Amino acid sequence: MKKSCLILFAFLSLHTFAQKFEGLALTPPMGWNSWNTFATHINEKLVMEMADAMVSSGMKDAGYTYLVLDDAWMAKERDSGGNIIADPQRFPHGMKYIADYVHSKGLKFGLYNCAGTRTCADYPGTRGYEYQDARFYASQDVDYLKFDWCNTKGINAEEAYTTMSKALKAAGRPIVFSLCEWGTNKPWQWAESVGHLWRTTGDIGNVFAGDKKYGDWSALGVLHIIDMQDSLRKYAGPGHWNDPDMLEVGNGLTESENRAHFAMWCMLAAPLIAGNDIRKMDASTHDILTNKDVIAIDQDSLGIEGFRYATKDSVETWFKPLKNGDWAVCFLNTSNAPQKVAFKWKEEAVNDTLSNRQLDAKTTTYQLRNLWTKKSAGTTKKDLSATVPPHDVLLLRLTK
Ligand code: GLA
């Protein structure tokens, strides 16, 4: 009897408590990743310039902390000892040199690999090398690992990601673990104790409405991805986030679309991983990405994802409960024409059963603040009436 209790306890300890580092992502991770703009064209100079730009542009001050190198940082093959190595031409001083530089700027450093035998861009994958690679990341002072899902035929996703999670834990350096499994095996159902964030969809493209075709696959547009999130909010919270993919702000969307995309990622408590060339972003992109009031919606310590309250005449109304009884509301115009928005605060019943929160404008008056214009928008005593431009948002914070 005693022995079986002990075995059960050991089993539970291993499975319940020992898989991932806790406390590393109490709010959604923020940073920059190389993939959306540079794909495989990355090198030492570019990365160091990007670290400089994260500081000089104010991105770091706005909360963007992780600089993550995506696919193709490594040599095409492992060395004779099976070690993964940085591409010697593009990263001649190796990865520790980059990590040191990134850390010297007050930032954190991330790398990418894949649960399969090869990465999506055909570099060496981690399958069979989990503990060896985890020790390498720890030795290079890596703080974040994005772990992809290409070339995984016959592999069980939960097992593969759990193995890597345990390998990172065993290597001993606290590392944020980002599961990039595209939602194929519903990671939201099993990854809370495995990683800190998990992709919920296939890859994002720099398109707002509709998808972007690339031969035999399509990158998903912003609205398409938003549609795929609504039922997943109950799975997210401090330390474990739904990840609707990295940002395309500044990558060819219109200014309105950039604003709407960013606002909605914040309403979704999504990781905010910029994917534009921050060395040369225009003023509007800069102001969108570094708007601290909007970022505060994303980074709210309650960690509750927003929900779609209503859809009418191509306008979606989303609400997100915030700390201290505040709320965010976002009116998203999904159409190509301006849309009128009317909202009678006192007649609506905004009731979030997940967080057990009610917005009761009958008994409470909320102050309204427009987070893009940074101006007061009156109070909930008066019905709201506004026009939202095409593919844009009206984003308000309600404070008691
Ligand atoms: C997959 C991922 C992307 C990116 C590429 C790299 O498509 O979903 O985010 O990491 O691989 O090859």
Side-chain angles (χ1 to χ4, degrees):
M1 184 65 178
K2 262 189 174 166
K3 196 175 165 199
S4 61
C5 277
L6 223 82
I7 292 171
L8 181 68
F9 179 73
F11 178 81
L12 281 176
S13 314
L14 253 174
H15 282 260
T16 319
F17 308 117
Q19 288 182 1
K20 76 170 191 190
F21 286 101
E22 297 295 345
L24 290 184
L26 295 178
T27 59
M30 293 176 65
W32 178 87
N33 174 299
S34 52
W35 185 255
N36 283 357
T37 294
F38 299 99
T40 56
H41 308 291
I42 50 176
N43 58 57
E44 186 176 283
K45 182 168 172 282
L46 174 88
V47 178
M48 291 167 82
E49 285 176 7
M50 214 56 74
D52 295 345
M54 279 179 82
V55 177
S56 61
S57 65
M59 292 283 283
K60 177 182 168 241
D61 282 346
Y64 297 85
T65 302
Y66 293 95
L67 187 158
V68 182
L69 280 187
D70 208 281
D71 209 344
W73 60 266
M74 59 292 257
K76 272 284 178 185
E77 301 301 335
R78 290 174 181 272
D79 72 9
S80 55
N83 300 303
I84 194 145
I85 44 171
D87 180 285
Q89 267 81 50
R90 289 180 291 115
F91 294 96
H93 298 93
M95 277 304 140
K96 177 76 166 68
Y97 177 79
I98 306 275
D100 287 349
Y101 189 77
V102 170
H103 288 146
S104 77
K105 298 275 155 185
L107 299 164
K108 293 188 171 175
F109 183 53
L111 284 177
Y112 159 103
N113 210 307
C114 183
T117 48
R118 303 285 293 177
T119 71
C120 299
D122 195 26
Y123 289 80
T126 295
R127 182 67 173 165
Y129 294 90
E130 289 82 358
Y131 282 78
Q132 189 169 351
D133 285 2
R135 284 194 296 275
F136 171 75
Y137 300 133
S139 75
Q140 305 295 292
D141 290 347
V142 166
D143 307 295
Y144 184 111
L145 178 68
K146 172 175 169 182
F147 208 51
D148 213 341
W149 189 238
C150 276
N151 303 301
T152 52
K153 200 160 179 261
I155 302 178
N156 175 294
E158 184 175 350
E159 279 173 22
Y161 283 97
T162 300
T163 302
M164 194 62 206
S165 179
K166 286 182 177 170
L168 292 173
K169 194 89 201 278
R173 182 176 170 87
I175 290 181
V176 171
F177 189 35
S178 156
L179 282 68
C180 177
E181 180 273 353
W182 321 317
T184 320
N185 294 281
K186 299 189 170 54
W188 45 87
Q189 292 181 350
W190 47 262
E192 180 175 337
S193 61
V194 177
H196 304 92
L197 57 159
W198 50 78
R199 280 275 295 278
T200 54
T201 71
D203 288 7
I204 194 170
N206 60 344
V207 54
F208 193 75
D211 294 339
K212 195 164 182 175
K213 274 230 155 286
Y214 291 100
D216 59 348
W217 73 284
S218 293
L220 308 175
V222 168
L223 292 180
H224 190 170
I225 290 187
I226 292 170
D227 268 345
M228 296 165 81
Q229 308 307 311
D230 203 20
S231 62
L232 302 181
R233 65 187 292 256
K234 65 172 181 238
Y235 298 103
H240 50 100
W241 306 102
N242 288 315
D243 174 9
D245 206 358
M246 304 175 291
L247 296 164
E248 288 284 16
V249 174
N251 284 344
L253 303 177
T254 66
E255 182 176 339
S256 285
E257 291 170 345
N258 281 331
R259 205 164 22 239
H261 171 26
F262 193 70
M264 282 307 301
W265 260 232
C266 292
M267 291 298 286
L268 292 167
L272 298 178
I273 309 292
N276 57 316
D277 187 345
I278 54 179
R279 296 170 306 177
K280 43 185 183 195
M281 55 186 160
D282 60 26
S284 130
T285 299
H286 170 272
D287 293 352
I288 290 169
L289 285 173
T290 59
N291 183 317
K292 290 186 183 172
D293 293 331
V294 180
I295 292 171
I297 303 299
D298 180 80
Q299 295 288 303
D300 186 83
S301 58
L302 284 187
I304 301 171
E305 227 179 278
F307 59 94
R308 184 157 36 199
Y309 172 73
T311 305
K312 193 174 164 258
D313 300 335
S314 313
V315 175
E316 298 184 8
T317 305
W318 288 72
F319 277 93
K320 183 182 195 288
L322 304 173
K323 67 183 178 193
N324 301 329
D326 286 12
W327 287 82
V329 60
C330 185
F331 299 95
L332 166 69
N333 180 359
T334 61
S335 77
N336 285 318
Q339 295 290 340
K340 285 219 151 56
V341 171
F343 201 81
K344 298 185 172 170
W345 301 105
K346 290 183 190 162
E347 289 176 25
E348 302 281 346
V350 181
N351 185 9
D352 180 19
T353 47
L354 180 70
S355 63
N356 197 20
R357 295 273 310 275
Q358 279 172 330
L359 193 161
D360 185 4
K362 278 194 204 91
T363 54
T364 310
T365 300
Y366 295 84
Q367 306 288 325
L368 304 176
R369 185 172 153 80
N370 183 322
L371 301 185
W372 290 118
T373 62
K374 299 178 189 281
K375 288 192 181 129
S376 163
T379 74
T380 50
K381 277 188 177 158
K382 201 172 153 227
D383 295 345
L384 178 80
S385 169
T387 301
V388 184
H391 290 186
D392 209 328
V393 283
L394 172 64
L395 179 64
L396 305 173
R397 184 176 183 124
L398 282 70
T399 307
K400 274 187 187 178

